[in-house]
Amino acid sequence: MDDQLFTLDGTVDLRGRRAISSRTGKRKACRFVLVYQVLERFAYYGVGANLVNYMTTQLHKDLVSSVSSVNNWSGTSWIAPILGAYVADSYMGRFWTIIISLLIYAIGLGLLVLTSSLKCLRPTCTNGICSKASNLQVILLYVSLYTIAIGSGAVKPNMSTFGADQFDDFNPKEKEIKVSFFNWWSFSTSLGILLATLLVVYIQDRFGWGLGYGLSAIGLLLSIIIFFMGIPIYRYKSGKERNPTMDYIKVPVVAFRNRNLQLPSSPSELHEFELQHYISSGRRQIHHTPHFRFLDKAAIKEIKIDVSNPPCTVTQVEGTKLVLGMFQIWLLMLIPSNFWAVEVTLFVKQGTTLERSLGPNFSIPAASLWSFVVLTMLISLPIYDHYFIPFMRQRTGNHRGITLLQRAGIGIAIQVIASAITYAIEVRRMNVIKKQHIVGAQEIVPMSIAWLVPQHVVLGIANTFLITGLLEFFYDQSPEELKVLGTTFFSSTIAAGNYFSSCLVTTIDKFTRKMGGKSWIGNNLNDCHLDYYYAFLFVISSLNFGVFLWASSGYIYKNENTSTTEVNDIDI
């Protein structure tokens, strides 16, 4: 059969045979993955969106410890992808890692439904006086939450990468379509979050936590069923015989060993396989770049070559350079990703202090206000994909319209604007509190919760650029053998942001209390200085944006060879 009928990137079908291009992958396979993403995010954010309120109202924890607990849990769910990525890239492959992770995920969510439904597993209240949760109740809750964190975290990078695998980078048409995949991935994510923040959060506040978490469990079950329906037409990356991670760990070791050797005058004199070697194996050859030149010494051809320990190839060296370059960008995402933690913690508690009634029988759940972030993304992403990209593509010649880091930079800039708006609105809330002489923690500030909508909308626009841009950046810039592990750079930025937020909140609370004044972040948001905290976020965000502009201007993008002109017949 003609090779043109098969994919050229080394993917196989369910039976392990070379995947037939017309029968597998592309948009028809991605539909199952995208619907899965809607339902899975519905399940996850049905747990996470209102968790800070569950901690304070059901476990009766104070605000600072509740915020820290939620941030630490969320951070774990976004750091767990490193484990899932390593297992997938090195041992089990994407598909089987997804299956095992979903099983763990389902067990954790089932346990959470039990802990929130059974009276014996919840703190009791008598005559309005509620007891604190027992050690057993707290342990069972955290076991369920962290089981969810591990399962959902491990599946995150594998599923997004598995969806991207359905497009063949060696096929120009599929490569162009693939640009839209990450936008639609973010769209599906946003749709799932929107449904969770509108439906599940309302049910939790109005009808009970057990019912709300039960709805999340149903969403996860449906997502698993939908994903399984696409198994016959998915494309799968064939398993690897050796751990690719070791290749990239080897590079700095060999470079250090060769530190006293002289680099050749031309990069062409460094050790590298012929192009045909990469083409025939469905891999990419990465061209030499001038940055991190000390690593080039790992590819020096020695006079006496040890067959059992040959020098690294230029492609291996460049792969390590890519990882180092991505790490630089990763460090600059700590502060922007902090906002994603603030959205589901302090914004929610801030909303509970405001007037939320819509008539005598309906009150807007504070956590549902996050739906404005998501709704903005749902509107912005199709506009970006269908209008902005083609418009900019004609002017820049870039098939993405603008570069990946330009997209992320625009998102960070808009986020800085959002932080200024957040500060201004909190200043207004504090002024209302002073005028009305409000001091009680349970007193409602006579100010509509609608005042918080602008900061959510602007952050939604920022996320349209930043979240999707970062996800595609880390996927695109990763070495081919480490695609899943590379995608975890994205998830780990969110994890680091949550941990950073937790540390920041705890540190500032302790520091401001020791100074003898009002705590910036206290149990009583009507008698603290949350405005100072938001001003602090604006300052550090602005400084971070300046550093990002400097770092991104010097970033060198991956330069791969995706030629297929030398492809020979391959045995089927």
Side-chain angles (χ1 to χ4, degrees):
M1 188 175 289
D2 188 357
D3 277 346
Q4 294 300 319
L5 296 178
F6 297 100
T7 57
L8 300 171
D9 60 355
T11 51
V12 298
D13 62 17
L14 182 61
R15 297 182 179 180
R17 302 173 301 186
R18 287 180 62 197
I20 298 176
S21 181
S22 61
R23 298 180 186 175
T24 60
K26 299 189 288 294
R27 286 173 174 165
K28 59 185 177 183
C30 277
R31 290 191 186 102
F32 294 101
V33 177
L34 294 175
V35 173
Y36 157 87
Q37 181 66 2
V38 173
L39 294 169
E40 188 278 326
R41 291 292 85 184
F42 170 82
Y44 177 82
Y45 281 95
V47 174
N50 209 17
L51 188 57
V52 68
N53 278 335
Y54 185 82
M55 294 281 187
T56 55
T57 62
Q58 301 301 305
L59 297 186
H60 314 298
K61 292 165 63 72
D62 64 84
L63 178 59
V64 171
S65 64
S66 295
V67 169
S68 296
S69 295
V70 173
N71 284 337
N72 291 336
W73 170 76
S74 181
T76 301
S77 70
W78 286 103
I79 204 69
I82 295 178
L83 174 63
Y86 178 77
V87 172
D89 278 338
S90 303
Y91 300 105
M92 298 179 65
R94 318 220 211 289
F95 179 73
W96 286 108
T97 304
I98 288 172
I99 299 300
I100 300 299
S101 301
L102 288 175
L103 176 62
I104 297 172
Y105 193 171
I107 292 173
L109 194 48
L111 183 58
L112 179 62
V113 173
L114 290 177
T115 58
S116 59
S117 300
L118 299 179
K119 291 184 178 180
C120 61
L121 299 178
R122 291 182 292 139
T124 57
C125 294
T126 305
N127 297 325
I129 301 176
C130 299
S131 61
K132 289 188 176 182
S134 67
N135 290 335
L136 177 62
Q137 291 168 341
V138 172
I139 289 172
L140 287 176
L141 175 67
Y142 280 116
V143 166
S144 64
L145 287 175
Y146 279 89
T147 303
I148 292 171
I150 293 171
S152 66
V155 81
K156 279 187 184 86
N158 288 292
M159 190 62 77
S160 60
T161 309
F162 185 80
D165 286 344
Q166 306 308 309
F167 300 94
D168 186 355
D169 276 344
F170 288 87
N171 184 314
K173 292 182 179 179
E174 291 191 27
K175 184 176 181 179
E176 185 169 318
I177 297 173
K178 187 176 182 177
V179 172
S180 296
F181 169 75
F182 290 99
N183 290 321
W184 285 107
W185 177 264
S186 294
F187 182 89
S188 300
T189 300
S190 301
L191 182 58
I193 297 173
L194 179 65
L195 293 174
T197 52
L198 291 179
L199 180 60
V200 179
V201 167
Y202 176 74
I203 290 175
Q204 288 168 346
D205 282 1
R206 188 70 183 269
F207 301 104
W209 294 91
L211 182 60
Y213 289 145
L215 196 59
S216 289
I218 293 173
L220 179 62
L221 178 61
L222 290 175
S223 73
I224 295 172
I225 294 173
I226 293 296
F227 175 72
F228 274 47
M229 289 173 62
I231 286 177
I233 62 171
Y234 291 145
R235 294 174 182 174
Y236 306 87
K237 289 288 186 180
S238 56
K240 300 177 178 66
E241 298 179 356
R242 58 197 301 269
N243 187 344
T245 308
M246 299 308 298
D247 289 341
Y248 298 97
I249 295 176
K250 176 183 176 182
V251 169
V253 174
V254 177
F256 179 78
R257 186 188 68 193
N258 295 345
R259 62 188 181 281
N260 294 324
L261 298 180
Q262 185 70 31
L263 280 171
S265 57
S266 173
S268 62
E269 298 178 39
L270 296 172
H271 177 59
E272 179 61 296
F273 294 135
E274 295 293 331
L275 176 59
Q276 181 59 36
H277 170 84
Y278 294 98
I279 294 176
S280 60
S281 60
R283 297 169 60 196
R284 281 87 161 165
Q285 182 185 52
I286 308 178
H287 297 299
H288 179 267
T289 57
H291 67 317
F292 300 124
R293 291 192 72 245
F294 64 92
L295 292 176
D296 288 344
K297 291 193 174 184
I300 293 177
K301 296 179 181 179
E302 300 180 31
I303 299 176
K304 294 182 179 180
I305 298 178
D306 184 356
V307 178
S308 63
N309 189 25
C312 299
T313 64
V314 170
T315 294
Q316 285 177 311
V317 171
E318 291 301 315
T320 304
K321 291 181 181 180
L322 288 171
V323 173
L324 289 176
M326 289 191 296
F327 183 69
Q328 288 181 316
I329 300 300
W330 183 91
L331 288 174
L332 294 172
M333 292 300 113
L334 290 177
I335 293 175
S337 60
N338 169 69
F339 278 91
W340 301 330
V342 173
E343 288 172 14
V344 294
T345 52
L346 292 179
F347 280 12
V348 174
K349 295 306 296 182
Q350 182 186 19
T352 61
T353 68
L354 302 177
E355 178 58 53
R356 297 181 287 131
S357 298
L358 285 180
N361 299 317
F362 182 78
S363 181
I364 301 172
S368 292
L369 207 64
W370 195 34
S371 62
F372 282 97
V373 174
V374 183
L375 188 60
T376 302
M377 292 183 67
L378 288 172
I379 295 172
S380 302
L381 282 165
I383 294 174
Y384 185 93
D385 190 67
H386 290 292
Y387 298 102
F388 183 81
I389 290 179
F391 176 80
M392 293 303 299
R393 186 181 287 159
Q394 293 178 354
R395 284 153 181 77
T396 64
N398 188 309
H399 69 287
R400 293 187 175 90
I402 56 178
T403 68
L404 295 171
L405 289 181
Q406 284 174 342
R407 181 174 184 176
I410 292 172
I412 296 174
I414 298 174
Q415 202 178 66
V416 172
I417 296 173
S419 66
I421 295 173
T422 300
Y423 166 72
I425 292 173
E426 177 59 17
V427 168
R428 188 185 191 283
R429 191 184 75 92
M430 297 300 295
N431 289 335
V432 173
I433 288 173
K434 290 178 182 178
K435 289 180 181 179
Q436 299 296 325
H437 305 289
I438 296 172
V439 293
Q442 302 301 320
E443 291 186 68
I444 299 298
V445 180
M447 174 178 167
S448 173
I449 195 174
W451 277 93
L452 300 184
V453 171
Q455 66 196 49
H456 286 79
V457 170
V458 177
L459 282 172
I461 297 173
N463 290 349
T464 299
F465 287 88
L466 183 56
I467 291 180
T468 312
L470 281 180
L471 176 59
E472 187 175 1
F473 169 77
F474 288 124
Y475 172 86
D476 182 78
Q477 293 300 294
S478 300
E480 177 62 21
E481 293 80 6
L482 296 176
K483 283 295 185 186
V484 180
L485 194 59
T487 307
T488 61
F489 268 96
F490 168 74
S491 62
S492 62
T493 60
I494 302 178
N498 278 277
Y499 291 133
F500 177 72
S501 177
S502 178
C503 180
L504 200 61
V505 167
T506 302
T507 302
I508 287 179
D509 176 64
K510 290 181 178 179
F511 178 77
T512 51
R513 287 181 188 276
K514 287 183 178 180
M515 294 297 291
K518 290 183 180 180
S519 171
W520 288 8
I521 308 166
N523 289 330
N524 183 2
L525 288 185
N526 293 333
D527 190 31
C528 66
H529 276 301
L530 192 59
D531 53 337
Y532 291 177
Y533 181 71
Y534 287 158
F536 177 70
L537 291 183
F538 169 73
V539 172
I540 62 176
S541 297
S542 300
L543 294 174
N544 183 76
F545 175 61
V547 178
F548 176 83
L549 289 179
W550 170 78
S552 61
S553 64
Y555 183 84
I556 300 177
Y557 288 88
K558 178 173 62 175
N559 185 11
E560 290 181 327
N561 192 321
T562 56
S563 172
T564 60
T565 56
E566 297 183 35
V567 175
N568 296 327
D569 290 339
I570 304 174
D571 294 334
I572 301 174

